[in-house]
Structure formats: structure tokens, C-alpha cells
Amino acid sequence: MSASGSDENGTRETTGSEASEGALENCGSENRAVERRKTSLERSRTVLERVRTEPGLHAVAVAGAVVLGLLASWLHWFGLVLGGAFVAFVSPSLRRGIVGAVGFGLVVLVVFALTLGGSAWTVLEMTPVVYLVIASAFGLPVLGSLLRGLL
Amino acid sequence: MPADTTRRGVLAGALAAGIGGLTLTGARELLSQFAPLSGRAWNTASRSLPDSVENPYGEASLRVDDHGVPHVEADDEAAAYFAVGYVQAYDRLFQLDLQRRVMRGQLSELVGEATLDDDEFHVRMDFAGAAEATWESIAETPAGELVEAYADGVNTVIEAGLLPLEFELLDYEPREWTPADSMLMEKQISWDLTGNFDELRRALVADRLGETVADELFPERMDHDTPILRDAVDADRLETDDGDSENDNGGDDDSDGTGGTNGADAAGNVGDELTNWLSRYESPTGVGSNSWVVSGAHTESGNPIVAYDPHLTLMTPPLWYEQRVETPERSVRGATFPGVPFVIAGANDSGTWSFTNVGADVLDCYRYEIDENGERYRYDDEWREFDREERELVVADGENRTITVRKTVHGPVLEREERTVGVAWTGHTATRTTEAIYEFGRSDGLEDLLEATRKFDLPTQNLVYADVDGRTLYYATGQLPIRTIGGEEVPGNRIFDGSAGEGEWEGFTPFGESSWDGFVPFEAKPHAIDPDVLATANQRVVDDPEHYVGVAYASPYRGARIYDRLDEAVENGEGTDLEFHRDLQSDTHDGRADQLLPDLFDVVESRDVTDRLADATATLEDWNRRMDRDEEGALLFARWMEQFRRLTVEPQFEAGDLDESYYPGDWAVATLSADSDLYADRSREETMLEALEAALDEIDDEGWERYGDWNTTKPIEHPFGVEAPFLDYDDLPLDGSRATVNNYRAGSAVGSSWRMVVEPGGEATAILPGGNSGDYFSAHYGDQFERWIDNDQKPMALSTEADVTVSFTEGSS
């Protein structure tokens, strides 16, 4: 069997040097992809860093996180966890993220009270249910905000 | 780095544990219900009536006034009652569905095994079958058409998903409402008022304690002289079929309920297991009412006045629902039970009417000779198969149970621990009460009302009426059975031998249409036409009735007090006004104190008692005998009375294995002779003193200071008040006792479930114990509650200034 040529079916066999070249090319493209990814990651990190630290960008990001969190909370209670996670994700530190999640919980309660209109006072009288309402408005976002400690 | 990894690990663990805990435990369901923004419960918080609804029966308008009372107006009655169904369902749909489930034996389907016994009772009694028979008989009548329109209105709310909070909390949707369900509501309230197994209970007491004690504690006739139709009632009577017209209230002494009862034998056949079980489903203790009428001769305006307050179960939301319906024929306003289209007690532009419970005996129990296999019963000299039907009880989170419902020629058969009793109840057949109350609303004067009253088959009620022409009326409604043994008329307070055909009701067809041929003729029932002053408070109707009526009458305390105050006003010659009658409704004078306290004072005076007892006696002597919330004496008396009753009967009842539910009423205890066998081991005097010590100990232990510390609204609960206490009304002190005109039983949450005072054609006022809406988020959920406590009634006018809330437009909804 030659190192190079065609077999009976006309399929071209690969020579050792070609294989090495191909491997190098593959390796090169993988490296490039890794590089690209690294670059992209670094860029993302940079953007995230800026979002987390530059006041203007940070404010926009928090607003976006709150809106997304509210939408999610409107659909399902797990949205409160996600809302807290979103807000914390754009916070400069875990500690600030937890504070942000508490703030998100406050926003949730205000929006909730507004949606209830005249029934808001009635809900306040719904003990012990109202305790659950308040605890979940703060507790679930704070739970979600713990994600900030991992990212 | 390792520290950072550890920190991340801890955080990841906390996150995972938190999310896992929330999603895999009961917290998930709670959050699904109550999480802010997404919780199902909040869907109902923003619920509101739409501006416009299509009505297949035609145009109508709905106005809701400042007290949450709906005012429906329409040119066509069916269009109006579609709107009534719509607004009742909007306000009280959970109540409708819950009542229906109770009566159909479908509670366990919602709440699980805890209510299986209740469901079994209701399925075995086949109230649903009786409601179906009733619907079949009235479907083609004018009232039937309106009941269908009403049901369509209810179903429009269900289909639109306008469900109140309770459905979200329990996470289910109601089934379609049917006209038969509305008939079931009639059966329910009738059962609450007339369903009692007194003969079984008395037989058990007689078996355990002897006939003498049973006679003392459960007398067939209480010794008092203030029946409803007392001698002083000056009134006319209808002519009977034989042409007699009587102006007295005389009757046949032989048929006044004093016959023998064969109690011990009967108890042997029925047993305590069955009796105890059935006792759980009797009328709630204390169910009764006040109503009275004075003619125009005794009012400032010269028009008659009717005052009414039914004492039924107090709950959240209230049992009653107020509504007004105006059609070209008539404008009618008053109270009804949610699920019933028509005003039951109220007023139209011609007159006003009210109902209190008679206490008539319209339920009989039969024992049978049953074969060894328990499959056949002896009747009419032959063995008959029981009618059988397999029924499945659906159980939430449990195994369904199948039971065999059995019936005899008399009605349903109830069984426990191999003991069997057959039951005949006048509600177990087609009844025309729905037609009657519809016609009451359309009535134009006393003659119209009398004609409608002929159809009032169930329940047995003291009807009190007055109209703009100055006419007044009392009539005992409802079909009264006549029982015979060997051709002799006998009272019904006994257990009959069903196999021998004893005590059968001629003209009665269970679960079919009855002719009522063998029942007391309409003209022979107790009544008074154009009475001057007449008061009903569930006391004995008449001393000597022409036919047996019953023995389950209330103690005469309220009746006597009402008559005393009305007599006083008449004697003084002062014309009464609505305020006078509202004040009488609020009367808290307790006749038990008049009866018993002098004896207690004598005992204390004759003995060397401790300072503690002497002080307590001084408090009672200074007390004005009114059961007012701020009174210390009222608290002391109420608790002393309870202890005196307990200490009087407890020793023998405990020995006889009879619990508190078998204790006699206050009147029996108050009038019990000091020579009674019950005082053999401890004299009446010693019992009184011991009761005072016990009452003081109890008051000290509980830390009560005033009557209102104990006598509170706490027992007035929502069916889910334990699980969701916010649904209950506030816990507030209030006046009244079980023996006062202002009636309240803290023990069983029974009291004035609706108060109204009406001058036909003039002013009218009313109040509910809570609010008209059953929607927790409504401003009318409990807006009348504190006013009810003070009997501060609101107007009950036949018009409103409110804007249109909902326009019903013609179209297929």
C-alpha cells in the first residue's frame, strides 16, 4: 500500500505529510476559535465589567434586569428568583447584588400594590398570607442573587 | 483560590437547596397561589362586573347601591331573573357551589376523607332525588321558566371565569348550575329548619335514664301561657270544608301530642350509634326566629308594622342575600338564600311577609322487620325488596367509596352498626314552595298572598304578613302529616312500626308528586286573619291544636318578652314607630334571670357563704338582667347558667353515656322541681352554689371581665376560616343570649341572620350580619357587620339612586 494514491474506489488516500499539514491546519483553526472565544469572553467580561462599574451603563442594565424580572415574575413565581439573579448579575459584587435583589423585591411589591388598586389594603389584612407575599417578594430574589457569587 | 472555590461551593449549594426546596415541597403550591404578581389568588382581586352582558331573555339593568344590594330592573321577568342569577353568582358563587356539594354528598370530592360521613348521610337521604322530583313538577310553571333563566345567568358567570377567591384557593372550577340545584337550596333550608330526629334522641334518653327523667327534661308541652295564638289574639279564621268558622283557637285535647311513645323499645331497635350519627345532621341548636306584627291601630302612621329577625346559622358570608327586582308587575325587595331566584322574606309595593320556624313534626321514623340477609323488609303482610341504588362517593386524594342507597315505601333508609331506620320527611317529595314564594313577590294584597300560601308545602313556617290596606295575617305554612294507628289519629313524636303500616302519611309519594290528601287541610292549620297584635318566637303555636303539630318548640322566653313589651305599648296607647320595633329587636332582657336568680339569692342568704360568693351575688343583684356586652353581671349569669345546667344533669347523663348534645334546654332545667331524681345526690340549692363557684373559677381562669369578653363574634366563621382566617369577620364583643329577643348563641354561632322592620307602603329598614357580597375583595364583604352588632339598620327602599352598573343587552350570551 502506497502512502499516497487512489484505492480501487478512487478514494484519495492521505499522505503522512498532508495529514500533518491538515492536523496543523485543524489545530490552527481550533486555536483561532479558542482565541476568538477568548477574545469574545474577554470582550464580554470587559462589557460586563463596564456594565457593573460604569454608572450610566449600570443603570440601564439594572433597569433592563428589573423589567425582565418583572415580566418573568408576572408569568410565574420562579420569575422572582430570576429577577433577583438578573439584577445581581449586573451588580459589581455579590453584596451589591443581594442589595439589588432586595430592591427588586421592593419594586415587585410596589407594582403588585398598583395592580391591586383598591384591594391593596384588603391584601394587607390577609394574614398570614401577606407574610408569604412579603417574604417571597424579598426572599426569592435574594435567593436568585446568590448566582452572582458564581459568575 | 481554595477559599474562593469553597465560597462558590457554598453558594451553589445554597442556591440548589433553595430552589429544590421551593419546587419539591408544599411551598410550590403556596407560591402558585400567593406569590406577588403571579399568584392565582390575585386574579380575583381585580375582578369586576362588566359594563355590558348579553342576555338571551332580553334587556335588563343592574344597579348596585351603596350597601352592595343589587337592583335589577327589566320589562320581562325572565330577563330580570337572568340578571339576578348573574349577580348572585358574581357575589356568592362559592356559597352556591358549597351548599350544592353538601346536599349532593360531593364534599369529599373537594376536601377528602374528612367529610365522607357527611356525604354518606346526604347521599343516603337522597336530597338530590327530591330536588329533581320538585324541579320536574314546577318546570312548566311560570316560576319554572324564571328558575331556568336564573340558572342561565349563573352559568354565564361560570363560563366567563368570574370566579371568587375560594375557587382559586382550592384550585377547582364549579360545574354547570342547574334548575334542580336551585330546588336543592329549598331542600337545604327546609332540612335546616325541620330536619330533626327528636324521637330517636328522646327514646335513647328514656332508655338510659328512664321515662320519668325523659318526661321531666323533654316535656311534650312546656308549662307557659304565651303561645303564638294566645287567648288575647283577636282574629278571624277561614271557613273549613264543613262550613265551620271558628273564632277561637280550640282543638282536640286527644291530638295535642301527649300520646305514649314506646321509647325504650324504640331505642333498642335504633341504638346509640345510629342516633348519634343522625344527630349530627339535625337542625343546628337554637335555630329559630322572631317576627311580630301590630296593626295600624297601634302605630303612629296608622299602617301596620312587621318586624322580623330569623335566627339561623351565622357565617361568613351571611346565609342571606339581599336583592331587589323590579318588573312591570311588581317591585320586590328582601332577603333570599343564594341559589334561590326569588325574594323569600321581604316586601313589595303592596305588602310585607316574614317567616319563623314552627317547630312542627314533619319527619317520622319507622322501624321494620328485616329478613336475615338484610335484603327484604316486612310490609303489608309480605316481604319486599328494598329499592337499591349503588352510588359512588368520590374522595380527593383517597379511595372512592361505593354505598348502596336503600329505600322503602316510606322513604330513605338510614343504617349504622346494623341498626336501621326508615325516614319519611315532607321534603322528600315534589314541593311547590318555589311557586309560592314567586307568587308572594307578585302578590297584591292579602287574598293573593293566601292563595300563594296554599302552595307553600315546605318548610313549616309561621308566616306573618301585613299590607298597605292595613290587613294583617298569621298562617302556619307547610304540609302537616296526619298519622293514624288503627284508625285513631296519633302524634308523630314516636318511632312507628313501618312493617305494620303504622303512622303512614296518606297522599305522600316519596321522590314523586304527592296529592297531600291525608294531610291537615289548609283551612284547619293554625292561622289568624287580621290579628291586632301577634308575635312568633318559635314558641308553641297554640295550646290545643285541632291536629297534632309538633313538640319541638322553643323555650317561651323570647315570645313572652315580645308580647310583654307589645302589650305594654298597646296599654300605654302610644303609637309605635319603626324605631320602637328596632329597639324591641335589640332587647336583651333575659327571662332566665327572672326565673332563677331569686332562688339563688335566697340560697345565698340562707347560708353562710364565702366572701367570694357573696361578692358575686352582690354583682348579680346590682345587675339589670340585660345581656349587654359591657355588663359584668351578664357574664356571671351566663356562665352560672351554663354550669347550673351542667351540674344538674351531668352525673346521670355521664353515667348513661350521653354527652352534652343530649342536654335539655334551659326552660326544662329552670323549671325542674327540687324533688327531681336529678337532685337526689346533690340538692338544687347546693347545685346552685356549686355552679356559682364553678362559674367564678372559669371566669378567673379565662381572664374574662365583661360579658363581651366571652360573648363575641368569633364563632361566625367562613367555611375555610381555619385554613384562611383572613376570610372571617373581625372578632368583636356583642349583646344578646340564647334566651333574649336580641338572639345570639356564642356556642353554636346561631343568631339574627337578617333583621328587617317594614311598614308596608312606607319606610323599611334591614341589616345583614356581614355584607351582601361573598367576594373577599369587595367593599361589601363585611360593610354591614358592625352596624348589625348595634342593630343600626340601613334603608330597604323599593327604589335606588345608584347608577347602572351592568346593562344586559338582548343577545345569546
Side-chain angles (χ1 to χ4, degrees), chain B residues 140-196:
Chain B
E140 302 304 323
T141 67
E145 185 198 351
L146 305 183
V147 174
E148 275 186 292
Y150 171 91
D152 286 343
V154 173
N155 289 325
T156 302
V157 169
I158 295 173
E159 285 158 18
L162 290 169
L163 307 181
L165 179 64
E166 290 90 338
F167 289 102
E168 297 290 353
L169 296 181
L170 295 168
D171 196 19
Y172 83 99
E173 289 183 8
R175 299 188 180 103
E176 180 187 10
W177 188 263
T178 65
D181 289 327
S182 286
M183 302 301 106
L184 203 52
M185 299 301 100
E186 175 198 313
K187 301 298 177 189
Q188 183 192 35
I189 191 61
S190 300
W191 178 256
D192 279 351
L193 292 167
T194 64
N196 83 57

Side-chain angles (χ1 to χ4, degrees), chain B residues 659-740:
Chain B
D659 64 23
E660 278 180 51
S661 65
Y662 288 88
Y663 283 9
D666 291 336
W667 180 269
V669 174
T671 56
L672 190 64
S673 163
D675 300 328
S676 167
D677 191 40
L678 290 166
Y679 292 125
D681 295 332
R682 178 172 49 205
S683 72
R684 185 170 184 262
E685 292 186 346
E686 286 166 351
T687 304
M688 284 185 153
L689 287 179
E690 277 194 37
L692 193 54
E693 284 279 11
L696 288 169
D697 289 345
E698 183 193 21
I699 289 168
D700 287 347
D701 290 347
E702 297 290 342
W704 297 323
E705 293 180 355
R706 299 282 180 272
Y707 185 54
D709 294 339
W710 170 72
N711 200 54
T712 76
T713 58
K714 192 175 177 58
I716 304 176
E717 291 179 330
H718 185 282
F720 293 100
V722 173
E723 295 81 3
F726 58 86
L727 290 170
D728 291 340
Y729 297 138
D730 292 339
D731 182 10
L732 299 169
L734 78 171
D735 303 333
S737 75
R738 60 186 180 228
T740 58

Side-chain angles (χ1 to χ4, degrees), chain B residues 192-210:
Chain B
D192 279 351
L193 292 167
T194 64
N196 83 57
F197 296 101
D198 273 358
E199 54 263 57
L200 300 184
R201 295 160 56 79
R202 191 192 176 286
L204 192 61
V205 172
D207 181 52
R208 300 283 168 82
L209 308 180

Side-chain angles (χ1 to χ4, degrees), chain A residues 70 73-74 76-78 94 108 112 116 119 122-123 125-127 129 132-133 136-137 140 143 146-147 149-150, chain B residues 7-8 11-12 14-15 18-19 22-23 28 30-32 34-38 42 45-46 165 725-726 776-777:
Chain A
L70 284 173
S73 304
W74 199 274
H76 195 272
W77 60 264
F78 197 76
L94 173 61
V108 166
F112 179 53
L116 289 174
S119 300
T122 314
V123 172
E125 293 169 359
M126 288 176 71
T127 52
V129 167
L132 178 72
V133 170
S136 59
L140 297 185
L143 179 67
L146 297 183
L147 196 67
L150 305 175
Chain B
R7 190 185 67 117
R8 284 166 176 264
L11 285 174
L15 201 56
I19 292 173
L22 290 172
T23 50
R28 185 176 61 177
L30 278 174
L31 288 167
S32 298
F34 300 115
L37 297 177
S38 67
W42 316 126
S46 51
L165 179 64
F726 58 86
Y776 173 71
F777 296 105

Side-chain angles (χ1 to χ4, degrees), chain B residues 320-399:
Chain B
W320 295 92
Y321 181 79
E322 186 177 1
Q323 64 182 40
R324 185 176 79 87
V325 182
E326 182 165 335
T327 58
E329 290 84 9
R330 198 67 60 209
S331 178
V332 57
R333 177 169 180 169
T336 185
F337 298 113
V340 176
F342 311 114
V343 165
I344 293 174
N348 64 12
D349 31 22
S350 171
T352 182
W353 56 95
S354 65
F355 302 97
T356 63
N357 203 24
V358 170
D361 185 352
V362 295
L363 183 151
D364 280 350
C365 293
Y366 301 87
R367 60 179 185 273
Y368 302 97
E369 187 184 345
I370 297 173
D371 71 8
E372 285 181 358
N373 298 326
E375 291 177 356
R376 297 181 304 165
Y377 66 102
R378 190 96 180 149
Y379 180 73
D380 205 14
D381 291 332
E382 62 179 21
W383 289 101
R384 291 198 179 196
E385 297 277 342
F386 288 102
D387 290 341
R388 293 165 179 273
E389 191 187 346
E390 298 277 310
R391 295 283 299 277
E392 186 176 41
L393 305 181
V394 181
V395 183
D397 304 322
E399 201 172 317

